[in-house]
Amino acid sequence: MLRSPGPEHPSGGLLLAPFHGLRYAPDRVGSLAAVTSPPYDVVVRPDGLHHLQTADPHNIVRLILPEAADPAARHLQAARTLRRWEADGVLVRDPEPALYVYEQRRGDVLQRGLIGALRLTPPDEGVVLPHEDVMPEVVEDRAALMRETAANLEPLLLSYRGDGTATGATAVIERTTGRPPLLSTTTEDGFSHRLWAVTDAEEIAEAGRDLSRRQALIADGHHRWATYLRLRSEHTGEGAGRDGFWDHGLVLLVDTARYPLRVQAIHRVLPRLPVADALARLGGAFRVRTVEGPLPRALRALGTAPGNAFLLTGDGTFHLLHDPDPDLLARTVRDGPPEEWRRLDATVLHSTLLAAVWRVPDRPSEIGYLHDAAAAVEQAERLGGSAVLMRAVAEDTVRALARQGVTMPRKSTSFGPKPATGLVLRALGGLPEGPA
């Protein structure tokens, strides 16, 4: 049965509030590009983390991925750094509450959306639809960081389907982009970023009326969304109120009817399983075909393989795993979910290949997740393990399963382009926020 927004909220849909954005003062940093970062779970460690740390002493990675001896020390360090940067004028709060129009552009890719404080709703209301499972230990880490900093340090990426026309929220966005932006920068990946503040009450209301009829899919940020919900439940009854800080979370809303997202795969790195061992343990569970490199050529072979297929590499060779044993699938993939879910590559990978064939424990120390195929291969080679390269899932498949309340295995998809972290933060304190 398809899920639709429930009746508890009068509007029944997305309620986006303006907030006093916390932003870098351009004259206090080397450049805006030098203080931004990809989302915390996209940063490749350790090299990517070190690169960002050295790009500018105030790079946002020092808040989203602080380094210290233990988790508690890391979170406390991030909180102290945030407070120091604000006290020193490195980060400055905007004087008026605003919704922020955000644009990313590279070549023929153009994405625009609204950044705001989204009122949180429980999953059973169907206003915001998750499509992936989460790892409890990651949620706990993000929750501890948000508690200590009392801040939303990076926006989640949420998609919704508008009417495909320049009306409502889209009209506000496209009018706004004709004005001079608050900031403009180009990051190392070639994307240009522009940000505008929408402070006019009528424009905020116009966007709000449109969004209040919409349902959103979490495109990127499932662990942070679960963190928002956990922190909201912790603060219920403690004076937070219906419009309190912890009743909202920082998001970027993109109308994919107007600005389609790209969906890419997330790859797995198995640091304790060498390629030779992975092949030896298959035992006929999958057919195996060695394919020629380099990596782009091997990925094309993966992309054209029928049925469930994966590219195994990590020792300089490439092996296409395909045509899994049907009897093995029947024994290892659980009954109950829709057939569409049972046929997903990620379902077969985790239920059959990782759990039943290779017996890889489902722990962060045993399975790494990287968004970039080349980075996954490099890490597997460096660690003497294996990289399992994946194919993307169509957005329509993701949305259809989410509307049925069916979650995919964690890290099944990578929607993008992802918002740069560090352009606008949301923090407790300062001037009060108001609802949209």
Side-chain angles (χ1 to χ4, degrees), residues 85-255:
W85 287 357
E86 190 170 4
D88 292 347
V90 174
L91 289 170
V92 179
R93 293 178 190 254
D94 286 334
E96 293 185 81
L99 298 179
Y100 295 86
V101 171
Y102 177 47
E103 176 189 277
Q104 295 162 274
R105 185 191 295 267
R106 184 177 68 184
D108 60 356
V109 176
L110 173 64
Q111 180 170 289
R112 289 171 173 164
L114 276 177
I115 295 177
L118 183 69
R119 183 170 293 164
L120 306 179
T121 52
D124 59 6
E125 291 186 19
V127 176
V128 175
L129 303 177
H131 70 267
E132 290 183 354
D133 294 332
V134 297
M135 293 177 275
E137 57 271 24
V138 177
V139 175
E140 180 53 45
D141 179 73
R142 291 295 100 182
L145 179 64
M146 286 191 205
R147 283 191 207 100
E148 197 69 59
T149 59
N152 300 153
L153 301 173
E154 46 189 335
L156 282 63
L157 176 60
L158 272 59
S159 72
Y160 69 97
R161 289 287 177 86
D163 301 327
T165 59
T167 58
T170 300
V172 172
I173 290 170
E174 297 193 0
R175 283 199 305 269
T176 302
T177 56
R179 306 166 189 163
L182 283 176
L183 63 86
S184 178
T185 190
T186 300
T187 46
E188 285 185 343
D189 57 7
F191 271 98
S192 65
H193 307 261
R194 296 197 295 171
L195 191 77
W196 296 259
V198 178
T199 58
D200 180 80
E202 292 186 5
E203 288 193 314
I204 291 172
E206 180 182 356
R209 285 190 296 271
D210 179 24
L211 294 174
S212 69
R213 302 183 293 116
R214 309 297 181 189
Q215 180 184 55
L217 176 74
I218 301 176
D220 185 68
H222 283 81
H223 289 89
R224 284 165 287 163
W225 179 257
T227 299
Y228 287 170
L229 295 180
R230 174 180 293 191
L231 294 175
R232 178 181 184 267
S233 68
E234 290 177 2
H235 288 82
T236 298
E238 297 181 14
R242 185 169 171 78
D243 294 315
F245 181 84
W246 299 108
D247 293 300
H248 298 76
L250 186 64
V251 304
L252 166 64
L253 284 170
V254 174
D255 176 4

Side-chain angles (χ1 to χ4, degrees), residues 354-394:
L354 292 177
V357 176
W358 287 337
R359 300 188 181 278
V360 176
D362 189 7
R363 296 194 295 263
S365 60
E366 304 287 342
I367 307 174
Y369 299 87
L370 277 78
H371 293 71
D372 182 76
V377 173
E378 186 279 330
Q379 188 173 104
E381 291 177 344
R382 176 167 49 82
L383 298 174
S386 297
V388 182
L389 306 184
M390 308 281 289
R391 300 178 296 194
V393 182

Side-chain angles (χ1 to χ4, degrees), residues 282-287 322-332 348 352:
L282 285 175
F286 285 72
R287 292 185 179 179
H322 61 106
D323 288 339
D325 178 4
D327 292 336
L328 179 62
L329 292 183
R331 293 195 306 271
T332 56
V348 172
T352 304

